[in-house]
Amino acid sequence: MVEAGMETSQRIDPRTPPPAPHTAWDLVTVPARQGLEAVDILRRGDGDGVGPVLHDDDGDTLGFLVPPGTAAGWDVPGSTCTETNGRGLSLAPEPPTAGTVGAGSAAPETAAGSDCTGWLLPPGEADLATDPVVLRRALGEAARMIEAADSCR
């Protein structure tokens, strides 16, 4: 696949659901403004849905769950893609605790162990991982929209 000057030899099936609790997937992290625009773009799309999305309580970032292996070829400016190796959060429903959002949705913990992240789109409402190719396009479109809006000020 060749996209925006990047060539990868790995093909990722966009229909791959997030793995069962405590298994690996990758997490694409973006600034909140761009991420919220991308969520809107993905939700308005024609069948290319958005998977579970995390947000931090400070409102600084959003994280999109993507299929394992995405991090190996991810190079979208302004974002990072991290292999989680199953660490940090669970997709298993748990009762909400302080600092979490959504009844029955599990909130990931930071490395320090304090709850400061919650689900914008919980796994129960968004069953599939986000297709990385579709996410790449949505993030690009979101960046262009933000740039255009900012240039009008």
Side-chain angles (χ1 to χ4, degrees):
M1 165 180 75
V2 177
E3 181 153 338
M6 184 187 95
E7 185 173 331
T8 59
S9 60
Q10 188 173 29
R11 180 78 174 125
I12 299 170
D13 184 353
R15 296 163 298 181
T16 304
H22 308 294
T23 60
W25 56 87
D26 291 351
L27 182 71
V28 173
T29 306
V30 299
R33 185 175 178 198
Q34 183 180 15
L36 290 170
E37 289 289 345
V39 167
D40 285 345
I41 292 164
L42 291 167
R43 292 186 94 176
R44 286 190 319 256
D46 52 347
D48 295 324
V50 59
V53 178
L54 297 164
H55 72 87
D56 65 0
D57 281 346
D58 293 332
D60 295 337
T61 60
L62 260 62
F64 294 82
L65 291 183
V66 293
T70 302
W74 192 259
D75 69 344
V76 176
S79 68
T80 59
C81 187
T82 308
E83 294 179 27
T84 67
N85 296 321
R87 297 168 297 176
L89 64 106
S90 170
L91 294 180
E94 295 174 5
T97 58
T100 67
V101 295
S105 62
E109 295 186 12
T110 63
S114 63
D115 288 341
C116 69
T117 303
W119 293 106
L120 177 67
L121 294 175
E125 294 177 19
D127 294 329
L128 300 177
T130 301
D131 178 347
V133 173
V134 174
L135 179 58
R136 176 186 303 276
R137 263 185 268 151
L139 289 172
E141 183 178 338
R144 289 186 296 278
M145 289 173 60
I146 290 168
E147 184 179 345
D150 287 351
S151 69
C152 292
R153 290 183 186 178

